[in-house]
């Protein structure tokens, strides 16, 4: 399955699985950034809790309503480190691990695939090897389709 085929599957899902444009805009306003295009599309297609769990049972991308809380936790983690270790670009947090590290995607770029990064307290951040947000989402669709 190609990335484009996976996103076609997302586009074919029932409309009520997704968050509304208004809900997505409200979260973007609370975050202070525009969601990366692939994440925005995902939320519009499957952003409700139970449908995100179908795609991401391990929680590597949460439902729309959890993004703001994760961002707040990530910002608390960043406060403990000097500015030289922090990202210098807008981002949205996708997952927090054990309260000292998190996974995030570059935000604010429209119509671009977003890079996925990790941040570890006292170590700083770096790219998740070979992982763009679009490919991460496509892999989840492929796994979900294989599970049936």
């Amino acid at each position: 399955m190609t990335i484009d085929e996976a996103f076609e599957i997302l586009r074919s899902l029932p409309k009520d699985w997704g968050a509304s444009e208004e809900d997505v805009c409200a979260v973007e306003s609370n975050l202070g950034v525009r969601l990366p295009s692939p994440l925005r599309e995902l939320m519009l297609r499957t952003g409700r809790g139970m449908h995100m769990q179908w795609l991401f049972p391990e929680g590597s991308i949460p439902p729309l309503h959890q993004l703001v809380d994760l961002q707040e936790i990530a910002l608390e983690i960043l406060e403990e480190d000097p500015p030289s270790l922090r990202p210098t670009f807008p981002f949205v947090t996708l997952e927090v691990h054990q309260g000292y590290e998190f996974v995030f995607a570059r935000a604010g770029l429209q119509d671009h695939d977003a890079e996925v990064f990790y941040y570890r307290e006292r170590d700083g951040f770096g790219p998740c090897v070979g992982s763009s947000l679009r490919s991460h989402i496509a892999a989840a669709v492929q796994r979900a389709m294989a599970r049936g």
Side-chain angles (χ1 to χ4, degrees):
M1 173 183 305
T2 68
I3 292 174
D4 289 337
E5 289 169 337
F7 273 81
E8 283 303 315
I9 290 171
L10 284 178
R11 290 182 196 105
S12 73
L13 297 174
K15 190 153 181 77
D16 64 342
W17 283 26
S20 69
E21 179 69 30
E22 293 78 21
D23 291 338
V24 172
C25 288
V27 166
E28 289 174 330
S29 177
N30 285 329
L31 291 171
V33 297
R34 182 173 171 84
L35 296 179
S37 296
L39 184 59
R40 193 170 215 289
E41 183 170 359
L42 175 69
M43 293 304 168
L44 290 169
R45 302 298 176 184
T46 63
R48 299 186 189 276
M50 64 183 164
H51 304 298
M52 287 297 289
Q53 290 172 0
W54 170 69
L55 285 175
F56 302 97
E58 303 298 319
S60 60
I61 295 182
L64 179 68
H65 70 276
Q66 292 179 5
L67 291 177
V68 173
D69 292 340
L70 288 177
Q71 191 80 354
E72 289 173 2
I73 294 168
L75 294 175
E76 289 174 11
I77 293 169
L78 290 173
E79 285 178 2
E80 301 298 318
D81 282 343
S84 61
L85 295 179
R86 301 177 195 169
T88 57
F89 49 83
F91 66 90
V92 60
T93 304
L94 303 174
E95 190 174 12
V96 174
H97 301 280
Q98 302 175 8
Y100 65 89
E101 59 186 22
F102 58 92
V103 176
F104 62 100
R106 185 184 293 263
L109 301 174
Q110 293 185 16
D111 301 323
H112 291 282
D113 196 359
E115 295 172 90
V116 179
F117 299 87
Y118 70 89
Y119 185 93
R120 182 173 291 132
E121 192 173 46
R122 291 184 292 279
D123 290 335
F125 72 98
C128 291
V129 178
S131 184
S132 73
L133 189 52
R134 195 165 152 79
S135 64
H136 184 69
I137 292 168
V141 170
Q142 187 171 11
R143 284 189 303 272
M145 297 303 292
R147 286 192 307 266

